[in-house]
Amino acid sequence: VTISAHSILDTFEALGLRNTRPRRLIAQRLAELAARGEDFATDELWQELLRVDPQLGRATVFRSVDVLVEQGVLDRVPFADGTHRYRVCGGPHHHHLTCTRCHQIVELALCLPEGELSALASQTGFDIEGHAIEVFGRCPACRTAGAASS
Amino acid sequence: VTISAHSILDTFEALGLRNTRPRRLIAQRLAELAARGEDFATDELWQELLRVDPQLGRATVFRSVDVLVEQGVLDRVPFADGTHRYRVCGGPHHHHLTCTRCHQIVELALCLPEGELSALASQTGFDIEGHAIEVFGRCPACRTAGAASS
DNA sequence: TTTAGTGCAAAGGCTTTGCACACCG
DNA sequence: CGGTGTGCAAAGCCTTTGCACTAAA
């Protein structure tokens, strides 16, 4: 996944949000994480940014992450154990396969069969707003590790 | 969904866990909730049980719910806003449609296409352990309410 | 100059933990 | 009796909130 810090700042600007130092630092760091395909916890992101600016507030990071998740720039990826991490989004629509042991994340192209959701809408009367598919399992490395220790 | 308090106690027994007063109270209450199709938060369940036994500890309820989720007696149903509630499971395999406004829960029969998961396993090398599908939307009542207030 | 944005610290919610006692088997 | 299970209260974790101050536009 490749995304520029600039385009993340554009996301803020498009919402009428100001171009501030904290948001610039966050955008830059996210661009780096995206390039490396790394996911992160909010607190980790904050800790890393503290090295650049020791004054940066934890709440500011939470506030920015919230905005970016809402705008679809970040994915909030839940794990089987109830925890979650964030990740710069890949394609326009995808789901995740996560390792129950090491929390590795793999983006998936699979989805529900065509028409399932519209059928659902007419059957239930719900206005369908979205959906999430999470697949859980053991990655190759952890399969081996698990077998060795059990 | 119909399940007897007795069969829930059997679930504990099958794990070698003792038949205690707190577990009996919890099993009975869950059977009632199942009959009514009601879902619940851990704290609500505790509050209700306090009326029966004011000595019952909050942690005990958490501990029992954990066991029952693990055993598949209860579903942990997540909502779009990151919260979750519990529910006595219906069929052997199903997913959920939840209302983003009132948190109503509907059990769904839909699932991933046949063979998707095995294809995934061979493509990724993961040992697939499970999956979850959550569909989010507005229930008929909340569609109307939302339209009226906006 | 105006008001969104921020840093800080405190409060919140939900859940887990530690421990002495109770009680099931 | 022996060891699991429990109640209680404290601590944990992650996240949000309130508020005076800073700085973007």
Side-chain angles (χ1 to χ4, degrees):
Chain A
V1 184
T2 298
I3 189 172
S4 68
H6 188 80
S7 72
I8 294 179
L9 287 172
D10 284 348
T11 300
F12 286 117
E13 190 178 8
L15 294 170
L17 301 176
R18 295 177 179 172
N19 180 339
T20 64
R21 172 172 168 79
R23 300 217 252 242
R24 283 191 296 271
L25 293 177
I26 289 166
Q28 186 186 335
R29 182 78 191 134
L30 289 181
E32 293 170 22
L33 290 171
R36 291 190 218 145
E38 288 181 27
D39 52 86
F40 59 92
T42 316
D43 199 66
E44 289 172 11
L45 178 57
W46 177 56
Q47 296 290 346
E48 290 161 0
L49 291 173
L50 275 188
R51 290 189 224 133
V52 182
D53 179 356
Q55 300 308 316
L56 195 135
R58 199 201 320 257
T60 300
V61 175
F62 274 95
R63 292 186 272 235
S64 288
V65 167
D66 283 350
V67 169
L68 295 174
V69 168
E70 203 145 317
Q71 295 307 308
V73 173
L74 296 178
D75 274 347
R76 181 184 188 277
V77 185
F79 296 104
D81 63 7
T83 62
H84 64 270
R85 292 173 68 80
Y86 296 93
R87 196 183 149 84
V88 179
C89 284
H93 182 72
H94 59 270
H95 299 290
H96 299 104
L97 165 62
T98 55
C99 178
T100 51
R101 186 166 175 275
C102 72
H103 286 185
Q104 181 192 343
I105 300 169
V106 177
E107 288 197 3
L108 302 179
L110 66 71
C111 200
L112 291 171
E114 274 297 319
E116 275 281 18
L117 292 179
S118 48
L120 203 55
S122 52
Q123 283 164 29
T124 62
F126 270 62
D127 173 28
I128 307 298
E129 297 173 336
H131 66 279
I133 300 176
E134 304 301 329
V135 184
F136 304 112
R138 282 255 177 152
C139 71
C142 289
R143 287 177 65 167
T144 314
S149 66
S150 65
Chain B
V1 183
T2 298
I3 189 172
S4 67
H6 187 79
S7 73
I8 294 178
L9 287 171
D10 285 347
T11 300
F12 287 117
E13 190 178 9
L15 294 171
L17 301 175
R18 295 175 177 172
N19 179 340
T20 63
R21 173 173 165 78
R23 300 216 252 243
R24 282 191 297 272
L25 294 177
I26 289 166
Q28 186 187 336
R29 182 79 190 134
L30 289 181
E32 292 170 23
L33 290 171
R36 292 191 217 144
E38 288 180 28
D39 52 87
F40 59 92
T42 315
D43 199 66
E44 289 172 11
L45 178 57
W46 178 56
Q47 296 291 346
E48 290 161 0
L49 291 173
L50 274 188
R51 289 189 224 131
V52 182
D53 180 354
Q55 300 306 318
L56 195 134
R58 198 201 322 256
T60 300
V61 175
F62 274 96
R63 291 187 271 236
S64 288
V65 167
D66 283 350
V67 169
L68 295 175
V69 168
E70 203 145 318
Q71 294 307 307
V73 173
L74 295 178
D75 274 345
R76 182 184 188 276
V77 185
F79 297 104
D81 63 6
T83 62
H84 64 271
R85 292 173 69 79
Y86 296 92
R87 197 183 148 85
V88 179
C89 284
H93 183 72
H94 59 269
H95 299 292
H96 300 103
L97 165 61
T98 55
C99 178
T100 51
R101 186 166 175 275
C102 71
H103 285 185
Q104 181 192 344
I105 301 169
V106 177
E107 288 197 2
L108 302 180
L110 67 72
C111 201
L112 292 171
E114 274 297 317
E116 276 282 16
L117 292 179
S118 48
L120 201 56
S122 52
Q123 283 164 29
T124 62
F126 271 62
D127 173 28
I128 307 297
E129 296 173 336
H131 67 279
I133 301 177
E134 304 300 331
V135 185
F136 305 112
R138 282 257 177 151
C139 71
C142 289
R143 286 177 64 167
T144 313
S149 67
S150 64

